[in-house]
Amino acid sequence: MTSLQLLRDATRRCPKRMVYGPCGGVSGDGGCEVPGFRCSFAENPALLRELEFSAADVQAPESARESSDALATSPRRAAAAALGDLIGAGGVITADLPVRTTDPAVIVEAGARLRELTAVIAGEPPGLREAFSPTHKALLLAEAGARVIAGVTCRDRNRVAIEGELAALADLGVSGILAVTGDHPASTALPDAHPVFDLDSTRVAALARRAGLFVAVAEQPAAPPIAYRPTRLALKARAGAELGILNLCGDIEDIARFTAALATTSAPVPVLVSIPVLTSPSAARRLASLPGVSLPPGIVAAAMGAGDGPDAGVRAAADWGRRALAIPGVVGVHLSAVVDEADASGLAAVDALAATAASIREHRHADAAVTATEVC
């Protein structure tokens, strides 16, 4: 078979029908996140170099264009431009929304406690039977004064639904989206849910730029084939992504190797480094169990030996964040926390994220003041 035929065959055998290479859920031995499968793309890593993004993959059918049902091409939104300026300035701090609730008051309160951050990423966690849509969560967080990046996954929606979500988010004035393919239901607590995967994150990135939104994407440097991961992020950038968020992927040296390789590609997009804020040993164990996750050993050790509640996890995350910000190509950090069993509302995890962000900012300001003094 030709290279194109081999790539199409890999897409056909992939449970998510990935087009632009393997997702981040590939295990170290090449296994798929779906039990009983092997990653069809990891079998022949050299073949992945043949992949190129094609705008034709997201071109609406002529019938949709004629009937005005296609997603309209919109100018850059003001909120998207403002977020782009913040990213360009560096020192970015974003965070997940750790609360898992459909209580609007809790989400608004979480937004209020996180509004000093560059942005809150309101994603779509896997395995929830009750969860608000990205658009509704964005409304609630914006009500609290937070800048929002809405997570949009391909797991549960076809192209029509995704385009409608993108148009709604742009109309609401949301700053941007985080385009992710999403975990397969078979690897979540809802294995009976029907997977859709009409698109993948690369194509959603292209559609979101068409809608005038700022676009971030995720990448997992620790997932095989490791050597291809920088190229894969650059491929997403050529499709429209403006920021890469590196999933939990090991220690500082691992990230430095990734960003150095990314800098040699044709689209060296700026990146945020994900940092786990571990508030308890149980939170560390739960986060480590997620597909494709590799936790920094120093942060895990601090959480597992914590004798003073969440403070040890906050200190370890803030210290690691300051080190990550010194890596070339890294423009900021993304904080991630798992709600502990004893934290019913999730707001304790929110407070840990806010405390970590405040500590990182405080030390950055102190370092800047020292540098200014030395120059004088």
Side-chain angles (χ1 to χ4, degrees), residues 262-354:
L262 178 64
T264 67
T265 68
S266 61
V269 64
V271 301
L272 303 184
V273 175
S274 290
I275 300 175
V277 181
L278 305 176
T279 57
S280 70
S282 66
R285 287 190 291 269
R286 290 174 63 194
L287 193 56
S289 69
L290 298 177
V293 166
S294 177
L295 300 178
I299 293 181
V300 174
M304 298 304 287
D308 56 352
D311 292 346
V314 168
R315 288 194 298 271
D319 177 68
W320 205 85
R322 292 192 292 274
R323 293 167 59 204
L325 285 169
I327 300 173
V330 173
V331 297
V333 296
H334 174 68
L335 306 178
S336 183
V338 170
V339 175
D340 192 82
E341 290 91 339
D343 181 15
S345 67
L347 290 176
V350 169
D351 289 338
L353 293 173

Side-chain angles (χ1 to χ4, degrees), residues 18 55 155-156 204 209 226 302:
M18 301 289 291
R155 181 190 62 221
D156 307 316
V204 172
R209 283 297 295 272
I226 291 175

Side-chain angles (χ1 to χ4, degrees), residues 155-183:
R155 181 190 62 221
D156 307 316
R157 302 180 183 86
N158 64 13
R159 174 173 176 162
V160 175
I162 288 174
E163 289 191 357
E165 194 85 55
L166 294 174
L169 290 167
D171 183 64
L172 288 174
V174 168
S175 298
I177 70 151
L178 172 63
V180 294
T181 302
D183 296 333

Side-chain angles (χ1 to χ4, degrees), residues 11-375:
T11 295
R12 180 187 59 79
R13 292 186 288 124
C14 173
K16 295 183 182 180
R17 296 188 291 175
M18 301 289 291
V19 172
Y20 292 103
C23 73
V26 185
S27 62
D29 62 357
C32 175
E33 67 185 42
V34 177
F37 282 79
R38 303 283 299 170
C39 177
S40 55
F41 287 99
E43 295 173 356
N44 190 355
L47 189 64
L48 298 173
R49 302 289 175 178
E50 304 287 333
L51 284 170
E52 288 292 341
F53 173 73
S54 172
D57 280 355
V58 292
Q59 182 65 45
E62 184 176 350
S63 58
R65 297 196 298 272
E66 291 175 349
S67 63
S68 299
D69 287 327
L71 179 67
T73 300
S74 300
R76 184 74 154 179
R77 307 282 175 153
L83 178 58
D85 290 342
L86 290 172
I87 300 297
V92 174
I93 304 178
T94 64
D96 287 331
L97 179 69
V99 298
R100 301 292 183 253
T101 180
T102 52
D103 183 343
V106 173
I107 295 176
V108 171
E109 179 61 26
R113 298 184 189 189
L114 295 173
R115 63 186 170 197
E116 297 302 318
L117 276 65
T118 308
V120 179
I121 298 182
E124 297 182 279
L128 291 187
R129 295 186 184 275
E130 296 181 3
F132 288 139
S133 71
T135 301
H136 192 58
K137 281 191 284 191
L139 275 170
L140 294 171
L141 291 167
E143 178 183 328
R147 183 179 289 106
V148 184
I149 297 175
V152 176
T153 75
C154 307
R155 181 190 62 221
D156 307 316
R157 302 180 183 86
N158 64 13
R159 174 173 176 162
V160 175
I162 288 174
E163 289 191 357
E165 194 85 55
L166 294 174
L169 290 167
D171 183 64
L172 288 174
V174 168
S175 298
I177 70 151
L178 172 63
V180 294
T181 302
D183 296 333
H184 194 284
S187 65
T188 73
L190 294 177
D192 56 330
H194 179 72
V196 180
F197 296 115
D198 194 20
L199 300 173
D200 56 18
S201 60
T202 305
R203 288 175 286 177
V204 172
L207 290 171
R209 283 297 295 272
R210 184 181 298 174
L213 291 160
F214 182 92
V215 183
V217 293
E219 190 51 75
Q220 177 47 279
I226 291 175
Y228 176 67
R229 293 292 168 173
T231 301
R232 184 169 184 263
L233 180 53
L235 182 66
K236 293 180 181 181
R238 290 196 294 275
E242 303 163 85
L243 177 70
I245 300 180
L246 305 186
N247 292 343
L248 301 168
C249 57
D251 220 331
I252 293 292
E253 294 76 12
D254 302 309
I255 297 166
R257 280 192 292 271
F258 179 91
T259 56
L262 178 64
T264 67
T265 68
S266 61
V269 64
V271 301
L272 303 184
V273 175
S274 290
I275 300 175
V277 181
L278 305 176
T279 57
S280 70
S282 66
R285 287 190 291 269
R286 290 174 63 194
L287 193 56
S289 69
L290 298 177
V293 166
S294 177
L295 300 178
I299 293 181
V300 174
M304 298 304 287
D308 56 352
D311 292 346
V314 168
R315 288 194 298 271
D319 177 68
W320 205 85
R322 292 192 292 274
R323 293 167 59 204
L325 285 169
I327 300 173
V330 173
V331 297
V333 296
H334 174 68
L335 306 178
S336 183
V338 170
V339 175
D340 192 82
E341 290 91 339
D343 181 15
S345 67
L347 290 176
V350 169
D351 289 338
L353 293 173
T356 304
S359 178
I360 293 172
R361 285 197 303 267
E362 179 182 345
H363 280 83
R364 278 181 57 81
H365 292 158
D367 291 345
V370 170
T371 301
T373 301
E374 291 174 347
V375 170

